[in-house]
Amino acid sequence: MTHASPSAAPRLSADALLRLEREQVTDAQLNRYADLVYRRTGIRLSPQKKMLLTNRLRRRLRETNIDCFDKYFDLLTRLQADNPEWDAFLQEITTHETYLFRDEPHWNWFRQVFLPQIAAAGQRRERPKTLRIWSAACSTGDEATTIACCVAACLPNANTWNVRIIGTDIGIDAVAEAKRATFSERSMKLVPDDYRKRFFTELTTERRWKAKPQLTDMQSFRRHNLLDPPGEEPFDLVFLKNVLIYFDGPSKQSVMKHIRAAMKPGGMLVAGAAEGVGEFVKGLERLDTWLFRNPPIV
Ligand SMILES: C[S@@+](CC[C@H](N)C(=O)[O-])C[C@H]1O[C@@H](n2cnc3c(N)ncnc32)[C@H](O)[C@@H]1O
């Protein structure tokens, strides 16, 4: 395994580029790539993805000056998982689609049920005034920023609480973008007007919105593969949305083992409606199709 960047190979000749444009990924190559992606990420690349893989690989080959799919495959197998080339490759084949306040029912529950209950328990001194929330597979941080908006708006005396919102994603670029905390108009489309005014600054020249320190001070972002334990103190609440839809049964099972271990007793899990975690949540109580609770210790 090497940490080194892909070699600075000489630029591909015009002939090699032309050959590359005509070459298609074969079934055998698709299987080898699919197997490699699966082992590194848990994501299943279906046979229908052959055309997509061909097109996306061509881009990486041109960037790295590698003239065939097999050589690029060999390169990936030699590189450590945290090598930027792995990230660039995964960036091509994964979807980072996300936006603030995605899936309204989850945020209604968070604002109207979860936060008031936590606040009341804190007020009665039945729990410490600490709150740890994990946005797992956070992409560019939109979900973690939605969490921060809701906490700032709906947790009474939020400044007397120690709130930590940890966002993690396998993509280095996604994590770097999350740390920048700026969002396009498209990402902001569901943000209520009063939240926009209170919690964001408009960057008019970039036509983007920057989250204020009131939100970002609660957050931290880092790279993490869901197939590994998060190595974090347990959480009161975990958001796991729109990621396991690309995983098969065994990899969902591995992820859910880590998620379950990362939940405090009494901790909650919000899963995407299409996540298909139902059969892998052994030991958790199902409160809704998308809401699960780790039983409290009695
Ligand atoms: C569609 S986005 C979901 C973002 C956000 N959770 C939401 O619902 O809006 C899926 C994210 O999962 C990440 N991802 C895919 N496989 C992963 C893995 N094995 N570990 C951690 N993140 C992963 C991708 O990099 C991508 O950013």
Side-chain angles (χ1 to χ4, degrees), residues 276-294:
V277 293
E279 54 183 299
F280 307 103
V281 289
K282 228 185 285 159
L284 300 184
E285 300 166 39
R286 180 195 286 260
L287 307 183
D288 205 324
T289 45
W290 48 269
L291 186 63
F292 303 87
R293 182 168 77 143
N294 197 17

Side-chain angles (χ1 to χ4, degrees), residues 113-145:
V113 180
F114 181 83
L115 287 172
Q117 281 176 358
I118 290 282
Q123 191 67 29
R124 293 193 300 266
R125 298 179 192 274
E126 289 168 9
R127 58 165 296 137
K129 285 184 142 187
T130 59
L131 185 56
R132 288 179 52 76
I133 303 178
W134 181 17
S135 170
C138 66
S139 188
T140 45
D142 303 44
E143 184 176 273
T145 299

Side-chain angles (χ1 to χ4, degrees), residues 105-226:
H106 300 170
W107 303 110
N108 290 342
W109 167 81
F110 184 51
R111 284 183 289 188
Q112 293 161 19
V113 180
F114 181 83
L115 287 172
Q117 281 176 358
I118 290 282
Q123 191 67 29
R124 293 193 300 266
R125 298 179 192 274
E126 289 168 9
R127 58 165 296 137
K129 285 184 142 187
T130 59
L131 185 56
R132 288 179 52 76
I133 303 178
W134 181 17
S135 170
C138 66
S139 188
T140 45
D142 303 44
E143 184 176 273
T145 299
T146 310
I147 297 168
C149 283
C150 296
V151 168
C154 302
L155 183 69
N157 304 317
N159 57 348
T160 63
W161 283 70
N162 177 9
V163 181
R164 294 307 313 151
I165 301 163
I166 318 287
T168 64
D169 197 277
I170 198 170
I172 300 170
D173 287 350
V175 169
E177 187 62 28
K179 287 180 180 168
R180 276 192 279 278
T182 73
F183 302 94
S184 66
E185 190 56 57
R186 188 184 165 279
S187 288
M188 296 282 293
K189 66 188 172 188
L190 298 180
V191 178
D193 274 350
D194 54 328
Y195 283 20
R196 259 184 209 241
K197 289 196 190 99
R198 277 172 74 185
F199 303 129
F200 296 87
T201 308
E202 191 172 5
L203 307 173
T204 35
T205 46
E206 298 169 44
R207 305 183 69 191
R208 292 178 75 82
W209 295 79
K210 169 104 182 127
K212 290 185 179 170
Q214 192 182 354
L215 304 188
T216 54
D217 286 351
M218 292 182 231
Q219 300 174 317
S220 49
F221 294 97
R222 66 177 179 81
R223 186 166 197 261
H224 169 253
N225 185 342
L226 288 171

